[in-house]
């Protein structure tokens, strides 16, 4: 079925450390994997995305990796800052529908 | 570009009444819009796919007669919560993508509280 598993559900890191969030998907036909950041009471904001024809994409402190064989993808945030604290959602395309993971609460301690 | 506007941002209504939420694509045409619902501390759950000029496609477990969706133009989709009950209180968010591309652009969401 249409399923996206996301781990961990909560993640606490010290400012300056790296944070990694992992997701798996179930449909090998999925070809688009975005990551969203959501602050309390606000809409999700796209922070990075990757398509199935590449294995890695980087944008400053944020990177995403994709392993199509294993059907998993990960978000990497380096040099974390307090303003990175938020809920992060991974998602995968199933047909024309975007299905979200359960979310990860990231807390960056200063 | 690719701005999605949603209105109202919050609404409080009494149990048994209906509430309409509007979602507009301001600078692009959206043949397809998506309606999500998010309960506190949970993920975004797709309710339905709104198709311009045709009936919406509802996800399993979502009552189409309770959540009425109308997509009468390429820039406007509406969601009407009929006979609202306290358990319908949630954050409703619409989204749309530019035709032929994948990134979803979200509206600001509507916080619905049913008393």
């Amino acid at each position: 079925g249409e399923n996206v598993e996301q781990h961990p559900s909560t993640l606490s890191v010290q400012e300056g450390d790296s944070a990694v969030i992992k997701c798996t998907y179930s449909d090998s036909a999925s070809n688009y994997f975005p990551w969203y950041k959501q602050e309390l009471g606000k809409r999700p904001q796209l922070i990075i995305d990757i398509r199935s024809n590449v294995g890695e994409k980087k944008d400053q402190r944020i990177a995403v990796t994709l392993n199509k064989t294993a059907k998993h993808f990960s978000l990497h945030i380096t040099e974390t800052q307090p303003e990175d604290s938020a809920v992060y959602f991974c998602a995968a395309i199933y047909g024309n529908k975007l299905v979200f993971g359960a979310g990860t609460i990231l807390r960056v301690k200063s | 570009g690719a701005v999605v506007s949603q209105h109202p941002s919050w609404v409080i209504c009494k149990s048994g009444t209906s509430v309409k939420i509007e979602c507009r694509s301001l600078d692009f045409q959206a043949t397809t819009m998506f309606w999500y619902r998010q309960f506190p501390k949970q993920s975004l759950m797709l309710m339905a796919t709104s198709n311009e000029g045709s009936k919406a496609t509802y996800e399993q477990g979502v009552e189409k007669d309770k959540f009425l969706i109308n997509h009468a133009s390429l820039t406007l989709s509406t969601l009407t919560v009929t006979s609202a009950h306290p358990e319908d209180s949630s954050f409703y968010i619409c989204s749309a993508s530019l035709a032929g591309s994948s990134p979803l652009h979200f509206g600001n969401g509507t916080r619905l509280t049913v008393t």
Side-chain angles (χ1 to χ4, degrees):
Chain A
E2 302 162 350
N3 193 38
V4 179
E5 299 279 344
Q6 182 172 347
H7 299 280
S9 56
T10 60
L11 178 60
S12 289
V13 299
Q14 202 66 37
E15 181 178 1
D17 288 349
S18 296
V20 180
I21 303 171
K22 299 181 178 181
C23 288
T24 60
Y25 59 100
S26 56
D27 188 350
S28 57
S30 294
N31 59 7
Y32 176 66
F33 309 93
W35 286 88
Y36 288 86
K37 175 183 180 182
Q38 187 179 31
E39 297 178 348
L40 191 62
K42 296 187 177 180
R43 63 180 161 185
Q45 297 278 5
L46 178 70
I47 56 172
I48 196 168
D49 57 7
I50 191 168
R51 298 182 190 276
S52 59
N53 58 347
V54 298
E56 185 173 358
K57 184 177 178 181
K58 190 174 181 180
D59 182 4
Q60 299 182 354
R61 297 187 296 109
I62 296 173
V64 56
T65 58
L66 171 65
N67 182 325
K68 287 190 297 181
T69 303
K71 294 203 282 289
H72 65 69
F73 55 112
S74 301
L75 177 71
H76 304 252
I77 305 175
T78 59
E79 301 172 33
T80 53
Q81 301 167 3
E83 50 265 38
D84 293 330
S85 296
V87 181
Y88 291 80
F89 292 98
C90 64
I93 276 282
Y94 288 90
N96 71 335
K97 299 187 297 186
L98 198 61
V99 178
F100 286 81
T104 296
I105 300 172
L106 174 64
R107 297 190 183 95
V108 180
K109 297 175 287 186
S110 56
Chain B
V3 176
V4 177
S5 174
Q6 187 172 340
H7 179 82
S9 55
W10 61 271
V11 59
I12 300 173
C13 71
K14 292 187 176 181
S15 187
T17 61
S18 295
V19 173
K20 180 185 283 188
I21 303 170
E22 292 187 349
C23 181
R24 294 180 186 275
S25 55
L26 296 186
D27 52 0
F28 67 102
Q29 294 182 330
T31 55
T32 304
M33 292 184 175
F34 303 90
W35 287 96
Y36 288 84
R37 178 168 55 183
Q38 186 177 32
F39 290 108
K41 298 184 179 181
Q42 294 189 24
S43 186
L44 291 87
M45 299 302 295
L46 181 64
M47 299 176 65
T49 302
S50 173
N51 305 298
E52 187 269 335
S54 64
K55 292 182 179 180
T57 304
Y58 290 82
E59 294 301 300
Q60 192 172 9
V62 178
E63 301 174 55
K64 60 180 176 67
D65 295 329
K66 180 171 180 61
F67 299 99
L68 301 179
I69 290 173
N70 184 276
H71 195 154
S73 77
L74 286 171
T75 59
L76 174 63
S77 175
T78 61
L79 168 68
T80 301
V81 183
T82 63
S83 187
H85 291 286
E87 56 265 32
D88 298 324
S89 298
S90 187
F91 192 49
Y92 292 85
I93 315 176
C94 70
S95 64
S97 64
L98 293 164
S101 68
S102 302
L104 271 187
H105 303 279
F106 286 90
N108 279 328
T110 298
R111 175 78 55 195
L112 171 64
T113 302
V114 184
T115 60

